[in-house]
Structure formats: structure tokens, C-alpha cells
Amino acid sequence: MPTAGLIALNNLPRRRVPSGSRVLVNGAAGGVGAIAVQLAKAYGAHVTGVDHASKLALVRSLGADRVIDYTSEDFTRSGEQWDLIFDVPGNQSFKAIRRALDPRGSYVLIGHDAFGATGHRWLGSIPRVLGLVALSAVSPQLRGGSFASPDKRQLMGTLASLMQTGQLRVVLDRIFPLSQAPQAMRHLMSGQSLGRVVLRIDD
């Protein structure tokens, strides 16, 4: 929770998601995406989760109102529009994203980079993020974020409160002993994990 939870909540605060908003989470079954789905539902949004077909049952169990299998449907070409698109993998260009974004909506890019498999060889998603920052001068859909350092104590308090009320849960895929850290990393990088992968440190 202190990693994925902080990333999700810092980029998806309540003020960005009025009750009744249409929110799409791309990469909805991963560590950050799974929390984003639950946060949006806790805010009262109608949530669409996008991921691989094998992961959609999990996305539904997290509260998504609708799921999309990205292997058979491109949400940017569906003709539908959402008020907010929370994009974890960043596997679509902003030009494509805009087709699915309400003109008054907003776009949030996390930019996972698939452990270095995508994005710039050395800088990952940084060049793309800087490009979007520059574009925000003429595109209101890219505004609303903040570069201020987050108040981690406050954010963790919010996450803890949501967990205590049952609105947020951590999804665990597998637990590996520390001695199997390489295998755990390969499993995580395969893209097959559902939620978080944990390393157990024994006494």
C-alpha cells in the first residue's frame, strides 16, 4: 500500500472525480490500477476497467461497473467518451486518448514503461510526460495535476481510512521467499500477476 497506494491516490484525489463521473482505468488489474479502480468507486464514479481478458474477473470484483478486454476492443475507437482516463501503462498516444476523452475531461498518465520494455531507453516516460506538460498550455484536458511534494502522512491516513471501511483492499498475487527474488521479479515482469507480488523476509 505505501507504494502503489500513494501513487494512485496522489494522482487520483477526490477533487478530480466528482460523484457520477465516468472514469476509465487502463491497466486496471495491476498494483496501481487496482487501487485506482477502488478509489474511483469510493468517490462515487462509474468505472470502466481495461486489461487482459484473464484479469477482468478481478477487475469486476474490485467494483468496476464495466470491463474491456484490450486484446479484442480498443477503447479509444469505441465512440464512447469518459470524464477522466487514468492511464497506467501509457500504451496509447494522447492523440488516440483524446478520442475517448470528454472535451471537458482530464487525462492522468502514470507511465509504467513495462519495466523498461517501452518508452525511452534511458529516460523511460520522462520525455513523454514533459511533452504533455508543454501541451497542457493549450489543452485543458491535461491540467489539474500537481508537481508539489505529496503529504505522505495525510495520504496514508486517507488510504488507511478507506481500508478500515472496506472500500479499499490490497490484491495479493503471490508471495515468494526472499531467496526466490529473481523468480518473483520475472513473474512480475511477465505481466501475468494479478495485483501485488510480495517478498517474504523470514527471521
Side-chain angles (χ1 to χ4, degrees):
M1 186 57 69
T3 50
L6 288 177
I7 292 171
L9 183 56
N10 190 48
N11 289 279
L12 196 65
R14 184 179 292 274
R15 62 177 173 78
R16 299 195 76 169
V17 189
S19 181
S21 297
R22 298 160 297 166
V23 174
L24 180 140
V25 179
N26 187 25
V32 174
I35 294 175
V37 168
Q38 296 175 84
L39 288 175
K41 284 302 297 180
Y43 300 156
H46 182 281
V47 181
T48 299
V50 180
D51 218 304
H52 190 274
S54 63
K55 302 182 180 183
L56 296 184
L58 169 64
V59 178
R60 288 191 188 94
S61 76
L62 297 174
D65 300 283
R66 181 185 169 197
V67 294
I68 295 176
D69 171 13
Y70 69 77
T71 66
S72 62
E73 181 180 351
D74 182 351
F75 71 87
T76 70
R77 296 186 178 277
S78 67
E80 297 181 64
Q81 291 188 326
W82 286 266
D83 299 307
L84 187 146
I85 294 179
F86 188 92
D87 188 6
V88 179
N91 55 359
Q92 298 274 8
S93 68
F94 183 60
K95 181 179 179 180
I97 290 290
R98 291 185 76 169
R99 293 194 296 260
L101 195 56
D102 186 280
R104 298 163 297 179
S106 58
Y107 174 60
V108 178
L109 172 66
I110 300 301
H112 186 271
D113 292 338
F115 301 98
T118 61
H120 189 277
R121 182 178 180 184
W122 304 111
L123 302 176
S125 289
I126 292 176
R128 182 177 180 185
V129 170
L130 292 178
L132 292 176
V133 170
L135 189 59
S136 68
V138 295
S139 177
Q141 295 167 319
L142 293 170
R143 299 172 191 164
S146 174
F147 288 99
S149 297
D151 184 337
K152 293 182 180 179
R153 184 183 297 273
Q154 180 181 9
L155 292 179
M156 285 304 298
T158 300
L159 293 171
S161 177
L162 289 169
M163 293 179 72
Q164 289 172 345
T165 59
Q167 295 173 288
L168 180 61
R169 65 184 175 93
V170 179
V171 178
L172 294 182
D173 177 79
R174 289 177 61 183
I175 299 175
F176 291 82
L178 184 60
S179 61
Q180 294 181 14
Q183 294 94 314
M185 197 64 192
R186 284 193 291 270
H187 176 63
L188 186 63
M189 294 174 67
S190 73
Q192 298 175 3
S193 62
L194 295 173
R196 309 303 288 165
V197 174
V198 174
L199 286 178
R200 185 184 70 243
I201 302 176
D202 294 321
D203 293 335

